[in-house]
Amino acid sequence: MIVVRGARTHNLRHLDVDIPRNQLVVITGVSGSGKSSLAFDTLYAEGHRRYLDCLSAHTRQLLEHLARPPLDSLEGLPPTLCIEQRTGTASSRATVGTLTEIHDHLRVLYARAGSPHCPTCGTAISQQSPQTIVDQILAFEAGRKVMLLAPLVRGRKGVHAEIFAKIVREGFVRARVDGEILDVTDAPPLAKTKPHTIEAVIDRIVVKAGLRDRLDESVALALKHGDGACVVSQQVGEGWQDHLYSSRFACPQCEISFSEIEPRTFSFNSPYGACQSCQGLGHTVEDPGVACPACGGERLQPIGRAVTFQGMNLPQFTKLTVTAARNVVEKWLADCQTLEQGSGAIGSASATGQLIAQRLLTHVASRLRYLDQVGVGYLSLNRAANTLSGGEFQRTRLAGCLGAGLLGVCYILDEPTIGLHPRDTQRLLETLQELRDQGSSVLVVEHDLDVIRQSDYVLDLGPGAGSAGGQLLAAGTPAAIETVFESITGAYLSGRLQVAEQQVNPSTPRVRHIRADQQWPALKVTDVCVHNLQHVTVEFPLQSLACVSGVSGSGKSSLIAEALIPLLRDRLQGTATANKLCGQLSGGDELQRLAEVDQAPLGRSGRSNPATYSGLWDEVRKLFARTREARVRGFRSNRFSFNSSEGRCPACHGHGVHRATLSVLSELPLICPVCQGKRFNPATLEVKYRGHSVAEILDLRIAEAAEFFANYSQLARPLKMFVEVGLGHLTLGQPANTLSGGESQRVKLATELGRDHHSPTLFVLDEPTTGLHPHDIQRLLHILLRLVEQRHSVILIEHHLEVIAAADWVIDLGPEGGAGGGQIRAVGTPQQIAAQGAVSHTGAALQELFQRRPALS
C-alpha cells in the first residue's frame, strides 16, 4: 500500500487513505473535490521532491525553496512519473517521434544500416575498410582476373599532362584512360575539350590462395593514391566489370566527400544534422507557415536527407502516420526474418548492420503498436508536439513510457480518455492494464464510467468542490462503490443517476419534437476539403444543440475549426476567406455573433489567470483603488496589477515564483523568497478591501469569491457562471499554464456566459466535457440547453455518449481517423444515428447505450 496520512494540500481535509500498489487505481469525484490535489500536488510532488533530494548538494541548494507537500506522513511511495496533458512541457522542437524515442531509434538505424547517396547526383556511396575490400576480392572465384585502380580524374576536361607525370613519378607504368589500358610513358595527347577519366593501374592479379598479403598492400596503395577511393575491376567474359570502393564517404562522380555518417547526422536538434538554413525548424524564421526553401521542411542537412533505408529516407518515413509506419516496419521485420533464414537482405549494411537493423526495428514496432493502441494512430511521426491536444500529448507520452519498459514505477495520469471516441476507450484500458501487468502502479484521475468500471480500485472524493470537498467518500472495487449511498460516482455507476435526465424545463418543447418536418433554419457548408475532409457538404441546424462526433482524427476539428468558423467569422466581419479549401457557406443569415470556445491556453505565460482573462480583475482593482487607504496613499487601479512595476514584487516581477533551470531536469517553479508567492510589494499588500489584500483575493477559490462579492453585481453574475460551469474549485489567480485544456475552455465559456447575449449567437465548443464528472456534465448540459431555449445555437465537438444522446442533432464523421476518415457517415437525431450502427462507430456505441439505458431512447 501507498499509505497517506494527514494530507492537507489545498482543500484536502487531513486526508487518510491507503492506495494499493501494482494496481490500476482510479481517483474520481466532482470537479474541485481534491483529485488533483491528492494525485499531483501530494503524491507526485512528494515523489518528485524525494528524487531531487538524491541529487548533489550543490543542486539541492538551488532547490531549497521547493516545499514539501503538507501532510503528516507518506509511506510506500514508489518512484513517481507524471504523464500530464500540458503540451507546454515539451520542447518547441519535439515531435511525436521524439516524444516516444522512435526518432532516436531511427537515427541509429539509418546511421548503421542505411544506404547513403550523393545529395547532388544521387549516386550510391559507401564506406569500406581496406580489410573489407580485400575480403570481397578474395571472395571472387579462383582464376578470375582482377585489376586494382586508383581513380585520379573523373569526367574532367583537359589534357591532364600533370596527371600522367604524377603516375610516372609514383612508379606506376599503366593507366586506364577513358576505359582503355595505356602505357603512361607512351600515352597519346588527350583532347582538351572533352571530359576524361584517368585511373592509375596499381596491380593486376589472378585470384588464388595466398594473395592476402599482396592485396593488403595493393589496396592500401590504391586508396592512398585514389584519395580514399579505389576501383576493383574483374574480367567478365570479354569485358570488365567495375566495383567502386571508398574508405570514406565520397561521391566519385561529383568528387564531394562527406564526414562519417553518425546518428547525430539525422538529428534536427544537433548542429551536425540540422539544416543550416532553418536550424532544424523546417520553416523560415520570418513565417513559420512557409517551409524552409533549403530543406523543403525536412529539417536535416543534405547528407541526412540522402540516406535511405529500403528506398525511403528518414523525413519520408516520419511523414507517415503511426498506422502506416507500423505497417511499413512490420514488412521490414518480415524481410529480416527472411534474412535469418538465409535468403534476402535488408538495406545495404554489413551482416552486423543488418542485425542492428532487426533489433532496432523491433523496438520501433513496439512503440508504434502502443501509439496505435492508445488511439493516436492517425498522427504523423513528424507532428509537432505543441500542435497536439492535451489528450493526444498525454497518450503519446504514455506510449513512450510503455515502450521504455520501466518497472516498479508509480504512473500518475490525468484523464487519459480525453479526446477518445468510445470505440478507442477499451484499447486504452488494455494499455493501462498492460502497464500495470509490467509491474507498475497506475493512478488515473478519471471520470469516464467505463474506465472506472474496469479499474481494480476506486477512490471517490467529495462530496462537493472547494471547501465542500477534500474528503474520502468511498474506497474499494467499482462494485463496492456502487453500493455506497454517499458516493455520487456510485450513483452514476449503478444507473441511479443519469447524465441526460431532466435537462430542460418540461414546459418547453424540445427542438427535435417540433421539427419533425426538418424545416429549421440551418447553416450549410459546401465542398470542404481541408486536411482529410473529402469534399464534405453538411448542414448545421440552428437554434438547437448539435453534436459533431467521430473517432479521433476523423476530421471533426477540421470541419468546425478550419472551415465553419473561419467562413462564418469572415462573413460577420465582411472579409473574404483566403483558403479556398474551406468551401462555401450559406444560410444562417440571422446569426449576428460567433462565440468560439476552444481548449487553447488562456495565455502564453503564468501571468494570465481566470480573473484577468475574464476581465474580473479590472473590477477588483477599481474596488481597491476606491478604498480609503489607497486614496490616502495616492494609489490608482494600476497599482493593483502584478504587471505594473509600481505594485508588483521587484524580485519575481509579479510572477510569485522563480524558475530554476537544471540541465538534468525540466524547469522548476520555486516560490519567491521575497514576497512568498504573493506577487505584490509590501506597500500594495497593506491596502485591504473588506479585510483582504489583493494577494488574498487572488488566492480565493472562485466559489468563495462568488460569496464574497455576492452584493457587487458586476462581479456576482460572472462569478456565478464560473461556479455553474464547474470551476468553483479554481482560485481567481490560478496561473493559466497550470490549467488543463478543459478548464481553459470552461473559463472561456463562463466569460462568454457572463455577458449579456441579446443578439442571435452561435456557440461552438470543442469537447466541453473534458475534465468533468458526470454530475458536472449534467449541469453543463443544462446551461447549454438553456442557451438553446433563448434561441441561440450550440455546436459541440464531443465524444461523451450521453451528451451526444442528449443532443438534438448529430453529425458523425469517419469511418476512421487520418486518411481513413473525412467522410460524413451519418446525420440525424441520436436515435436515427443509433439505428445506423452498422455504418457508424458512434451509432454502434449509441445503440449499446440505448439498450443499456432505455430511458435515454
Side-chain angles (χ1 to χ4, degrees):
M1 290 285 186
I2 300 171
V3 181
V4 182
R5 295 292 179 263
R8 301 180 296 279
T9 305
H10 300 149
N11 66 331
L12 298 181
R13 300 186 185 182
H14 289 82
L15 185 67
D16 296 340
V17 61
D18 296 341
I19 306 171
R21 290 172 56 164
N22 302 328
Q23 292 193 22
L24 173 56
V25 178
V26 168
I27 303 175
T28 190
V30 298
S31 298
S33 59
K35 304 181 299 298
S36 295
S37 297
L38 173 60
F40 301 104
D41 300 329
T42 301
L43 296 175
Y44 174 66
E46 176 61 10
H48 195 197
R49 189 192 66 81
R50 291 181 184 182
Y51 167 74
L52 296 176
D53 203 40
C54 299
L55 300 178
S56 67
H58 172 70
T59 303
R60 292 201 305 272
Q61 286 178 356
L62 298 175
L63 305 174
E64 60 183 0
H65 298 292
L66 192 65
R68 181 176 186 266
L71 75 165
D72 295 337
S73 65
L74 177 52
E75 299 175 359
L77 182 66
T80 55
L81 198 157
C82 174
I83 305 178
E84 54 192 347
Q85 297 174 26
R86 293 199 293 274
T87 56
T89 60
S91 161
S92 59
R93 291 175 172 268
T95 65
V96 170
T98 61
L99 282 178
T100 55
E101 297 182 358
I102 288 174
H103 196 269
D104 297 325
H105 286 83
L106 291 173
R107 291 193 295 115
V108 181
L109 173 70
Y110 275 80
R112 299 292 176 254
S115 303
H117 295 77
C118 174
T120 304
C121 68
T123 301
I125 58 176
S126 59
Q127 177 189 38
Q128 292 91 13
S129 67
Q131 187 64 47
T132 301
I133 299 171
V134 170
D135 289 342
Q136 295 195 19
I137 295 173
L138 290 174
F140 293 151
E141 62 184 14
R144 180 63 58 90
K145 293 182 179 180
V146 174
M147 286 191 299
L148 267 74
L149 306 104
L152 302 175
V153 174
R154 245 181 217 284
R156 286 209 321 259
K157 295 179 181 179
V159 176
H160 300 301
E162 76 284 358
I163 299 297
F164 290 114
K166 178 181 177 182
I167 294 173
V168 172
R169 192 166 57 247
E170 296 294 342
F172 303 110
V173 295
R174 294 179 182 84
R176 189 170 71 173
V177 180
D178 297 335
E180 183 181 355
I181 301 295
L182 301 173
D183 188 325
V184 290
T185 59
D186 193 29
L190 301 181
K192 182 178 181 179
T193 57
K194 292 182 179 180
H196 303 285
T197 297
I198 304 173
E199 299 151 322
V201 178
I202 305 298
D203 200 357
R204 295 191 295 179
I205 62 169
V206 176
V207 177
K208 59 183 178 180
L211 280 178
R212 180 171 290 277
D213 290 343
R214 175 178 173 178
L215 281 175
D216 285 342
E217 184 179 350
S218 297
V219 167
L221 203 58
L223 291 172
K224 174 185 175 183
H225 292 288
D227 196 21
C230 76
V231 176
V232 176
S233 185
Q234 62 169 325
Q235 189 173 29
V236 179
E238 297 299 320
W240 292 81
Q241 185 180 59
D242 290 350
H243 302 271
L244 177 65
Y245 297 98
S246 174
S247 61
R248 57 185 178 83
F249 288 107
C251 175
Q253 305 295 335
C254 303
E255 298 186 352
I256 301 173
S257 61
F258 311 97
S259 58
E260 182 181 356
I261 293 179
E262 306 172 80
R264 64 182 181 178
T265 305
F266 305 95
S267 172
F268 46 77
N269 292 319
S270 165
Y272 296 96
C275 168
Q276 294 182 352
S277 178
C278 65
Q279 306 300 312
L281 294 173
H283 56 74
T284 60
V285 178
E286 299 78 16
D287 187 354
V290 176
C292 169
C295 66
E298 293 186 341
R299 296 186 170 198
L300 298 177
Q301 290 196 29
I303 187 61
R305 306 197 304 272
V307 178
T308 64
F309 182 81
Q310 294 294 83
M312 184 180 292
N313 71 10
L314 182 57
Q316 288 171 337
F317 183 84
T318 56
K319 286 177 183 176
L320 298 175
T321 64
V322 166
T323 302
R326 182 182 176 187
N327 293 335
V328 169
V329 169
E330 287 176 352
K331 180 184 180 302
W332 288 348
L333 277 172
D335 293 340
C336 285
Q337 298 297 328
T338 304
L339 174 66
E340 278 189 342
Q341 295 164 8
S343 62
I346 183 166
S348 63
S350 62
T352 303
Q354 305 212 25
L355 179 61
I356 291 172
Q358 182 175 359
R359 294 188 176 179
L360 288 168
L361 288 172
T362 301
H363 289 294
V364 171
S366 172
R367 283 166 164 79
L368 290 171
R369 177 174 69 85
Y370 286 128
L371 282 169
D372 227 350
Q373 195 169 312
V374 298
V376 291
Y378 57 92
L379 296 177
S380 61
L381 290 174
N382 66 355
R383 174 80 173 265
N386 57 10
T387 66
L388 301 177
S389 69
E392 288 171 336
F393 178 74
Q394 184 176 213
R395 291 195 296 279
T396 298
R397 285 200 60 213
L398 174 62
C401 290
L402 277 162
L406 293 175
L407 303 177
V409 176
C410 177
Y411 290 96
I412 303 178
L413 292 87
D414 187 9
E415 293 192 77
T417 60
I418 286 175
L420 270 189
H421 189 274
R423 193 276 308 262
D424 300 314
T425 300
Q426 185 58 42
R427 290 196 298 171
L428 174 66
L429 267 167
E430 292 169 1
T431 303
L432 298 178
Q433 290 162 352
E434 185 173 346
L435 201 61
R436 173 203 62 194
D437 295 341
Q438 288 180 356
S440 294
S441 304
V442 183
L443 271 59
V444 182
V445 174
E446 188 55 83
H447 298 115
D448 188 282
L449 296 178
D450 289 330
V451 175
I452 297 173
R453 287 190 185 97
Q454 296 189 52
S455 64
D456 301 315
Y457 200 80
V458 181
L459 302 174
D460 190 29
L461 302 184
S467 59
Q471 303 177 52
L472 184 63
L473 298 181
T477 64
I481 298 293
E482 289 185 17
T483 64
V484 179
F485 180 78
E486 293 83 4
S487 170
I488 298 176
T489 303
Y492 283 95
L493 284 172
S494 65
R496 297 194 300 272
L497 287 178
Q498 295 182 19
V499 169
E501 286 181 336
Q502 298 177 347
Q503 290 303 323
V504 222
N505 185 339
S507 63
T508 304
R510 291 302 305 273
V511 175
R512 69 175 73 148
H513 297 315
I514 64 174
R515 290 181 180 154
D517 59 353
Q518 299 193 7
Q519 296 301 312
W520 57 71
L523 198 59
K524 183 178 182 179
V525 289
T526 306
D527 197 30
V528 181
C529 299
V530 177
H531 299 317
N532 66 334
L533 295 178
Q534 303 176 25
H535 299 280
V536 166
T537 296
V538 67
E539 287 188 350
F540 299 89
L542 301 179
Q543 299 176 19
S544 64
L545 175 62
C547 268
V548 180
S549 62
V551 298
S552 300
S554 59
K556 304 182 297 296
S557 296
S558 297
L559 175 62
I560 301 301
E562 301 198 39
L564 175 65
I565 288 176
L567 287 169
L568 181 58
R569 185 190 298 121
D570 288 340
R571 176 202 280 180
L572 294 174
Q573 295 175 352
T575 57
T577 304
N579 187 359
K580 301 303 180 184
L581 298 177
C582 289
Q584 296 179 331
L585 182 72
S586 59
D589 295 330
E590 64 270 32
L591 288 174
Q592 298 178 25
R593 246 185 114 251
L594 170 65
E596 182 185 358
V597 187
D598 58 22
Q599 295 192 18
L602 301 182
R604 296 182 178 178
S605 70
R607 288 185 180 277
S608 181
N609 56 51
T612 57
Y613 179 85
S614 62
L616 291 170
W617 196 241
D618 293 336
E619 295 299 323
V620 172
R621 291 192 294 112
K622 291 175 184 176
L623 287 177
F624 272 88
R626 289 200 290 266
T627 61
R628 183 175 180 278
E629 294 99 322
R631 285 185 281 117
V632 167
R633 298 172 187 235
F635 292 171
R636 294 173 297 177
S637 63
N638 65 342
R639 176 85 189 200
F640 303 98
S641 167
F642 44 75
N643 292 321
S644 167
S645 58
E646 296 177 4
R648 70 189 183 193
C649 168
C652 64
H653 302 291
H655 286 286
V657 295
H658 291 291
R659 300 283 172 179
T661 304
L662 303 176
S663 59
V664 296
L665 296 169
S666 58
E667 202 175 59
L668 288 173
L670 303 176
I671 295 175
C672 174
V674 176
C675 68
Q676 297 299 314
K678 293 181 179 178
R679 302 185 176 192
F680 296 91
N681 58 36
T684 306
L685 293 172
E686 287 175 4
V687 178
K688 303 291 180 69
Y689 173 77
R690 292 175 55 193
H692 288 65
S693 69
V694 279
E696 290 167 338
I697 294 293
L698 281 173
D699 285 340
L700 286 177
R701 295 192 177 277
I702 289 176
E704 297 169 339
E707 296 179 8
F708 187 81
F709 293 109
N711 296 324
Y712 190 77
S713 60
Q714 289 174 290
L715 290 173
R717 174 182 167 83
L719 287 169
K720 179 184 176 184
M721 296 312 306
F722 272 87
V723 174
E724 285 194 16
V725 299
L727 294 177
H729 61 287
L730 298 180
T731 63
L732 282 174
Q734 185 138 349
N737 56 10
T738 67
L739 301 179
S740 68
E743 287 171 334
S744 295
Q745 184 182 43
R746 291 198 299 280
V747 168
K748 297 175 184 179
L749 176 61
T751 302
E752 281 290 340
L753 295 176
R755 299 167 179 158
D756 292 325
H757 294 286
H758 299 296
S759 55
T761 303
L762 173 62
F763 290 85
V764 181
L765 295 88
D766 185 3
E767 296 189 60
T769 61
T770 296
L772 288 183
H773 187 274
H775 202 58
D776 298 309
I777 294 174
Q778 190 179 71
R779 295 162 60 189
L780 177 65
L781 264 176
H782 182 79
I783 293 171
L784 297 178
L785 290 171
R786 195 167 66 204
L787 289 172
V788 173
E789 290 180 14
Q790 296 168 359
R791 313 306 284 178
H792 296 301
S793 307
V794 180
I795 297 176
L796 310 180
I797 299 174
E798 191 53 75
H799 289 120
H800 197 288
L801 274 184
E802 297 197 65
V803 173
I804 298 173
D808 299 311
W809 200 250
V810 179
I811 299 165
D812 192 53
L813 280 83
E816 301 297 334
Q823 305 173 37
I824 300 294
R825 300 299 293 175
V827 175
T829 66
Q831 291 72 20
Q832 291 169 341
I833 299 295
Q836 302 177 57
V839 297
S840 162
H841 290 302
T842 302
L846 282 172
Q847 198 174 74
E848 182 183 340
L849 177 69
F850 290 152
Q851 289 170 355
R852 190 168 68 239
R853 300 187 182 176
L856 293 175
S857 59

